[in-house]
Amino acid sequence: MRHPARLASMLAMALLASSLHAMPAQDDEQRFVATLQLGASPDVHYLDANGKPLGYAAFAQQLGTGRNYSTTADSKANAAMLRLRPPGTSTGTGRFSFGRGSMFPPFELPSSQGGTLHSSALRGRYTLVSFFFAECAPCIADVPVLNAFAKANGDMGFVAITYEDADTARAFVNDRGLRWPVLHDGQALIDTLGVNVYPTLILIDPAGRVAGAAVGMTMRDGQDKQLADLTGWVQQWKAARAAK
């Protein structure tokens, strides 16, 4: 049997060696996070190309092989999310992979109405987010339904997001009559989510998590039927969250 004092000494040395070995990786992450220009103790999440959570060490290892990534952040919430792009790509991040319960990525984006909207401002109530682009025919067709739904549900928040620039976003609002707040230059957020089919609707719950998503959702069969379908879809996901 080993002497208790000797065993304790060996254990202390092992713990010290372990901590010294871990320090460079920890320091490396701190330096990396500092480049995101967030405040103290930021909340940073790393995802692989499939949208699955990664630790920093695994994320950094992939960066060492030349992988690119998307970054989206909210400076007011002191939070960021980074997602690896598929190997050999510098844009896009594969398929949409944010299921019910996933934290919606933090963001701060310019509004076509002026100013900047932070994701943290959406907390406290359900928010419906529509991803669109100006020449998307189904997106254009859905505008009257989205307007009618927003008018009938004043207790919710509404945000439409495009990867296009300010002028294109404003032209869409003016030409198509969309009465939602519209955010532009959202490519980083779109990449992080993996949105690549339009229109895509995402319902965010009051805690900032995805309550439901409809990728490529298209509403047809007349405006009344479309409005009823959208209302039913939102109520379905609200009920599912309440039951959980």
Side-chain angles (χ1 to χ4, degrees):
M1 177 179 294
R2 291 179 176 174
H3 192 281
R6 182 182 294 272
L7 185 60
S9 177
M10 292 174 64
L11 179 59
M13 291 177 66
L15 290 173
L16 177 60
S18 175
S19 64
L20 289 174
H21 180 72
M23 282 177 64
Q26 184 179 21
D27 290 346
D28 182 52
E29 181 175 8
Q30 290 174 350
R31 286 192 294 270
F32 179 79
V33 170
T35 67
L36 302 176
Q37 298 183 337
L38 299 173
S41 303
D43 181 20
V44 181
H45 296 268
Y46 308 96
L47 308 177
D48 66 15
N50 294 317
K52 303 301 182 184
L54 276 181
Y56 172 75
F59 185 83
Q61 183 180 30
Q62 292 297 313
L63 296 187
T65 67
R67 295 283 292 277
N68 288 297
Y69 61 93
S70 63
T71 307
T72 182
D74 181 348
S75 59
K76 285 189 175 180
N78 200 26
M81 187 175 288
L82 295 77
R83 180 174 176 175
L84 289 169
R85 300 186 190 277
T89 64
S90 58
T91 59
T93 49
R95 64 184 182 85
F96 179 79
S97 53
F98 281 65
R100 183 157 54 101
S102 299
M103 183 60 68
F104 194 83
F107 68 84
E108 50 186 80
L109 291 173
S111 169
S112 62
Q113 288 81 16
T116 299
L117 181 70
H118 294 252
S119 55
S120 49
L122 305 182
R123 300 290 181 90
R125 61 176 177 172
Y126 280 95
T127 298
L128 189 58
V129 183
S130 173
F131 290 90
F132 76 99
F133 65 94
E135 299 304 319
C136 166
C139 303
I140 295 170
D142 289 349
V143 167
V145 182
L146 297 181
N147 285 340
F149 183 83
K151 183 177 181 180
N153 293 273
D155 59 328
M156 290 179 59
F158 302 93
V159 178
I161 300 175
T162 180
Y163 56 81
E164 295 170 312
D165 61 21
D167 290 341
T168 304
R170 280 192 289 267
F172 184 89
V173 170
N174 294 333
D175 296 343
R176 307 302 179 184
L178 181 62
R179 294 193 290 273
W180 287 25
V182 174
L183 309 181
H184 53 86
D185 293 293
Q187 189 66 62
L189 173 62
I190 289 167
D191 283 352
T192 301
L193 284 165
V195 172
N196 52 30
V197 179
Y198 297 86
T200 286
L201 290 176
I202 300 178
L203 181 67
I204 306 174
D205 73 15
R209 296 185 178 275
V210 174
V215 177
M217 183 176 185
T218 301
M219 295 169 281
R220 299 174 180 153
D221 303 324
Q223 184 171 327
D224 290 343
K225 176 64 164 56
Q226 294 169 4
L227 182 57
D229 287 348
L230 179 56
T231 301
W233 179 81
V234 170
Q235 289 176 344
Q236 167 196 339
W237 290 114
K238 284 185 176 181
R241 179 185 182 276
K244 183 178 179 181

